[in-house]
Every structure is written in C-alpha cells, then in structure tokens.
Amino acid sequence: VAPELSPADRLEQRSVILKTSLERANKALGGEVFEGRALDRQGRVQPGKIALVGPVALFADNAGATAGLLQQELNKSDPTVISISPEIDSGTRTLVTTGQGQMALDPTLGNAFKLSAMEETFFEKVKHGGWVMVPLIILGCGAVLVALVKWVQLSRIRLATEADLQKVLQYLETGNQDQALAHARSIPGPSGELLTAAVEHSDEKKEYIEEIMYEKMLGSRIRLERGLPFLALTATTGPLLGLLGTVMGMIALFKLISSFGSGDPKILASGISEALVATASGMIVAIPSLLLHAFLTRKAKGIIGSMEQTAVGFINGLPENEKNTFV
C-alpha cells in the first residue's frame, strides 16, 4: 500500500479490488465465455471459445470440428480438448456458442480422463510389447488348440473295468475265445486294443503275452502323450520371450534417455511400463500352458496306469497254459 495515499484513496482502491474479485467469483460460478485456443486430438492449435463454469472448462473451435472438455497436460502451454461422445460434444458446442445447453461435468477434476487414457485395446498392448508378441501369440494359440484336442481325445477314452476283465477271463476259462475276443473288441480305445491283443495270444505262454501287452502299452503311451511336449515347450519359452522383449524395450528406452534426457518422468514411467508388457504377456502364456500340461499329463498317466493294472489282472487271471515253448 502506497503510504502517500490518503485513507479515502486507499479505501477506494481496495473497493475496486474487492469488486473485481466478487465479479470474477460470480462469473466462475455462473459461467464465463471468452476467446481462447486449445489443442485438438491431433495436437493442432485451434482458435475458439472457452466457457468456464466453476472448475469445469469447455471448448468449441471456430471451424466447428472440435468440441469437448479441456484438460491441462504436462509440458503443454495450451489445454487439450477431450472428446467423450458425439452427443456430449454437440451439447458442449451449443452451450459454449449460445450460453444454453447441456453441460458435461467431471466430478473427479480430470482424474477420470487420466484413468480412461490408461485403458488400452488388445492391439495397442501388442504394439507396445514389440515383435516378441507375435511368437507369444502363436505359442499361446497353439497351446490352447493342442490342449483342447488332447482333452477331447483323453476324455473320450473308455477304460476297461474290472467287470470287463472278469468277463473276458471267464470266456477264456470256458474255452469261448471268440466271445472273449468279441467283448475285448467292443471296448473302444487303447484298453480294448490291449485286451484284444492279449486274447489273440491267450494260447501262448504268459511271458510272451506280457511282451505283447507291454509293446501295446508302449505304443499307446506314445499316442497319449503326443502333443504334450509342445505345452511344456510353451511354458518354458513364454517367459524367456517375454524377458527378451522387456530387455530390448529397456535398451531402446535408455537410448532415448541418453539422446533426449529424462526431464519428463511421465515419459520414463510410460516407457518402462510398455517394456514390461512383453514380460507380463510371457507369463500369461506360460502359466496356463504349465497348468494344462500338468493336468493332461496326469490324465494320460492315469490311463496308462489303468492299462497296466488291466494287463497284470489279465496275466494273473489267465488259465494255466500247458505250452512250455514259444510258438
């Protein structure tokens, strides 16, 4: 306050300041429209009108192409226009140009826009992950396809029950080899093939029958476990590919930092998060593949174990053969 002014002059100047403050507060509450400029979605400066209603800032350009809420972003001198939907944008333009209309209100004061900007589509995440996302997607799709085929294949296999085995042995004990062979062939899958081979050589020595059944089980094991190594390969390769993508992304990020500096921590954090997308994708591919491999392997081993039990039961329940030599 200037000491040379009289008390009356001081009061007059303070009254002007108070009046201006009250007018500004009234305009902020009731709304104020003035000429200004903002950045559109392509980053171009567009002249237009800005409407301030409390903490909300609205914009409509003079060309009639851009309208929406305004948000001030870091390292940008002009605010950015945020488009929500065509209906809200149209109402915003009407409100700014005519002073009447519907107003979009953001109660979070800009935080909702920041959260929505963090949402990415699947293709955007793939693009951020780099070229390693292509083999990861191929491995993931291949693992799902193999697991689905193997699950259907293993689920449709019918195991030989104790009743089936006893019926086959009863037919052999009474000398009805044809009926025993017909019942064994009626059992679909590797268990039926095992019993069929055993019945066809039931007149041989038990040692020879054991060899025949063991050979059948080896062939069945190969067929049942076919495709499962691919799931194990996917579970092992997925994290390695993801780690490779992350390392390459970090190398590219540090090159940018060495060239342009790290003055903006937002860009640095964004680059690190994009580099970690590959690692996360590798884990997403590897963990289900590992679980599917464990489940299907256990199911295949269960079928092989049931076949081994059937083979042992057949040998032990087979009537004694009088032949002493292999034929």
Side-chain angles (χ1 to χ4, degrees), residues 159-160 162 165 194 213 217 302-316:
L159 300 177
E162 183 67 23
L165 180 61
L194 180 69
M213 299 180 77
M217 283 189 290
I303 296 174
I304 295 298
S306 176
M307 293 177 62
E308 292 177 351
Q309 185 177 2
T310 301
V312 173
F314 183 87
I315 295 297
N316 293 336

Side-chain angles (χ1 to χ4, degrees), residues 216-235:
K216 284 291 183 180
M217 283 189 290
L218 285 180
S220 299
R221 183 189 298 273
I222 294 175
R223 292 197 303 271
L224 292 175
E225 295 181 351
R226 186 176 300 161
L228 296 182
F230 179 77
L231 296 178
L233 176 65
T234 302

Side-chain angles (χ1 to χ4, degrees), residues 14 65 181 232 269 317:
R14 290 175 180 175
L181 188 61

Side-chain angles (χ1 to χ4, degrees), residues 37-59:
R37 63 181 189 178
L39 299 176
D40 61 9
R41 288 181 290 273
Q42 287 74 31
R44 297 172 299 189
V45 177
Q46 299 291 345
K49 291 183 178 181
I50 297 177
L52 292 179
V53 184
V56 181
L58 308 174
F59 178 80

Side-chain angles (χ1 to χ4, degrees), residues 26-77:
N26 185 42
K27 289 181 179 179
L29 293 175
E32 178 184 8
V33 180
F34 55 91
E35 296 292 331
R37 63 181 189 178
L39 299 176
D40 61 9
R41 288 181 290 273
Q42 287 74 31
R44 297 172 299 189
V45 177
Q46 299 291 345
K49 291 183 178 181
I50 297 177
L52 292 179
V53 184
V56 181
L58 308 174
F59 178 80
D61 65 344
N62 297 329
T66 303
L69 294 175
L70 289 180
Q71 180 184 9
Q72 188 64 48
E73 297 183 351
L74 186 64
N75 295 332
K76 291 184 179 180
S77 58

